Amino acid sequence: MICFDPATPEFGENPWPAYAALRNQPGLFRYEPFGGWLAARFADVQAIVTDRRMVRSPAAFLPPDQVRAMQRAANFHDMPYHERFVQTSMLEIDGPDHDRLRRAVFPYFTRTRLESLRPAIAATADALIRDLIPRGQIDFVQDLAADLPGRIIGRLIGTPDADSRQMTQWSEDVVSYFDIDRTAEKKERAERATRLFHDYLADLRAERIARPRDDLMTALIGAESRGELRGDELIASVMQILHAGHGSTIDVLGSGLHALLTHPDQMARLRADPALMPTAVQEMFRWAAPLPFFHRYASVDLTVAGRDWARGTKFAVLYASANRDPAAFPDPDRFDIARNPNRHIAFGGGPHVCLGNNLSRMNMEAIFASLIAQTRRIDLAGPVEWKTGLQAHGPISLPIRLN
């Protein structure tokens, strides 16, 4: 009998034995709190996420009245703003509409466009760390990791640095409601945060209409005027990009530094050879995927993971578990900053592969390069507090001492 309880602090700190137990059992595991089946092995996860018949929304294969019934059953109803701007974002839709929205924002996430940001990202990281070093002891997550990603994604979209902390909090409140523990308090916070986010972005949209700039908001206003975006799609798309650009990078920054601090040989290796930074960052994503879980529905009857499934079957794809699968990675529980090849699946796959994966890696490289350049030694300075649940993995608090 498998004991799988993501809500416990023990799981948050060390989920890997539970994931290994899932991988070691035959077939997929039925998990009632989720209402579906958990895919934990790399091959099964990859097969599900790359199959276009596997969709994010039941609207792809069910009539509206049945979709609404499923929405009520999952307690995703009675949330007017969340339903309009979160549950209908490009992350939550499929097919031609998803592809159309992705095309509208993609030019701002090309490698060429993002490379133009690299000097500014490095300068921002240098300045933030330079200001923190005199304090000696800091909380890496709260004092540093929670700052840089929000500033950078905000600059891409067109929001001021000063607003990044507020948007990070709104994003946390919104996405936390996608976890399996949907309390009334979480529901109220998610709806309130979505409303405040909408009001903020509606004001920004009006400002950019009056005074255009070279940013994503202005570009999407142009796409809207050409009929490429409709209704609520502009606000929903920008909101979803901000959600994705804040939380997951913060989480992997924390878990990545924790991995270096608990593997001092790898920290020493990185200090001795900073050219290893790109592969080190890739290993941080494999080692502890910041988004360990996403869902898919079978839009038709199909065969996957060695058996037949009926249309409407719900699957959880456990990216964090897949990235520790010994069938896909030699010695997967070894943290190796030079691991190559490293074809991890932390960014998902298929039509919904993470749009901002290059930007996230760039943020990581900038912060860790600056930390190594500006310190002689970094040590843990107290107990680490970890997030619980399936939706995200990373430290809430990571106290460190900077020398």
Side-chain angles (χ1 to χ4, degrees):
M1 183 69 178
I2 292 178
C3 179
F4 188 74
D5 189 358
T8 63
E10 292 77 16
F11 180 91
E13 181 177 357
N14 184 21
W16 316 114
Y19 287 143
L22 291 177
R23 291 193 304 269
N24 290 334
Q25 72 144 30
L28 305 189
F29 177 68
R30 176 74 184 182
Y31 185 49
E32 292 304 335
F34 169 70
W37 300 81
L38 305 185
R41 287 180 289 274
F42 187 94
D44 295 337
V45 169
Q46 189 171 52
I48 290 170
V49 300
T50 57
D51 190 333
R52 290 191 73 99
R53 299 172 300 171
M54 293 285 191
V55 297
R56 286 281 298 176
S57 171
F61 59 92
L62 289 178
D65 59 330
Q66 292 186 41
V67 173
R68 187 65 179 168
M70 290 180 67
Q71 187 184 34
R72 287 194 297 271
N75 201 17
F76 272 110
H77 66 300
D78 293 340
M79 307 172 73
Y81 282 88
H82 199 276
E83 291 172 53
R84 281 177 62 190
F85 298 105
V86 178
Q87 297 176 34
T88 59
S89 72
M90 77 175 83
L91 179 64
E92 301 300 331
I93 61 175
D94 305 280
D97 283 334
H98 168 266
D99 297 342
R100 172 175 54 82
L101 294 178
R102 196 174 175 96
R103 282 194 300 270
V105 303
F106 181 75
Y108 271 70
F109 290 91
T110 62
R111 187 178 295 274
T112 301
R113 174 84 187 197
L114 295 176
E115 280 297 330
S116 70
L117 298 176
R118 189 180 287 274
I121 296 173
T124 303
D126 286 345
L128 289 171
I129 292 167
R130 190 180 307 116
D131 289 344
L132 290 171
I133 282 179
R135 290 169 51 180
Q137 184 169 320
I138 66 169
D139 187 314
F140 177 76
V141 174
Q142 301 301 324
D143 295 329
L144 180 56
D147 214 347
L148 181 77
R151 292 190 187 208
I152 300 307
I153 194 66
R155 291 174 191 174
L156 194 72
I157 286 168
T159 61
D161 285 0
D163 297 342
S164 66
R165 289 280 185 156
Q166 179 60 76
M167 290 189 291
T168 297
Q169 185 58 58
W170 287 340
S171 296
E172 285 280 337
D173 289 344
V174 170
V175 302
S176 68
Y177 197 63
F178 280 91
D179 217 322
I180 54 175
D181 178 23
R182 298 196 187 111
T183 64
E185 181 185 3
K186 280 188 175 182
K187 184 172 187 175
E188 182 180 354
R189 284 205 311 266
E191 174 66 4
R192 178 178 181 274
T194 309
R195 175 176 56 80
L196 293 172
F197 231 140
H198 162 266
D199 295 347
Y200 178 91
L201 293 175
D203 288 346
L204 180 64
R205 177 180 175 275
E207 181 182 324
R208 287 297 181 272
I209 289 173
R211 289 178 292 279
R213 294 186 188 175
D214 181 18
D215 56 30
L216 181 59
M217 177 61 82
T218 302
L220 292 184
I221 289 169
E224 189 178 50
S225 69
R226 296 188 298 271
E228 297 167 14
L229 298 177
R230 303 187 290 264
D232 294 330
E233 289 177 344
L234 186 151
I235 299 293
S237 296
V238 174
M239 194 182 297
Q240 192 260 311
I241 290 168
L242 284 165
H243 295 161
H246 288 120
S248 58
T249 305
I250 295 170
D251 290 337
V252 74
L253 279 165
S255 60
L257 180 60
H258 184 264
L260 286 173
L261 296 179
T262 53
H263 296 82
D265 61 320
Q266 298 300 300
M267 174 68 93
R269 192 179 182 189
L270 189 57
R271 285 189 180 277
D273 187 2
L276 287 171
M277 188 63 70
T279 57
V281 166
Q282 287 284 59
E283 178 70 342
M284 292 174 194
F285 275 101
R286 184 202 69 85
W287 175 256
L291 295 172
F293 147 91
F294 267 89
H295 75 262
R296 294 290 190 276
Y297 292 95
S299 65
V300 296
D301 295 347
L302 50 75
T303 302
V304 75
R307 59 168 281 191
D308 297 333
W309 305 90
R311 185 187 74 158
T313 303
K314 189 178 181 183
F315 299 90
V317 285
L318 301 181
Y319 296 135
S321 174
N323 284 339
R324 294 286 191 104
D325 187 346
F329 301 94
D331 199 3
D333 293 323
R334 177 171 58 89
F335 181 67
D336 178 5
I337 64 168
R339 185 181 291 271
N340 188 29
N342 191 354
R343 299 185 181 90
H344 66 75
I345 200 168
F347 298 115
H352 287 279
V353 66
C354 177
L355 191 65
N357 66 82
N358 288 321
L359 181 59
S360 185
R361 285 196 292 260
M362 203 174 291
N363 285 329
M364 297 269 289
E365 290 173 16
I367 280 193
F368 285 113
S370 187
L371 270 175
I372 286 173
Q374 295 194 55
T375 63
R376 291 193 310 272
R377 182 182 175 92
I378 305 171
D379 296 295
L380 282 172
V384 181
E385 182 183 359
W386 294 86
K387 290 184 174 181
T388 59
L390 272 178
Q391 182 67 28
H393 175 73
I396 298 170
S397 176
L398 179 61
I400 59 172
R401 188 174 299 107
L402 303 170
N403 297 302

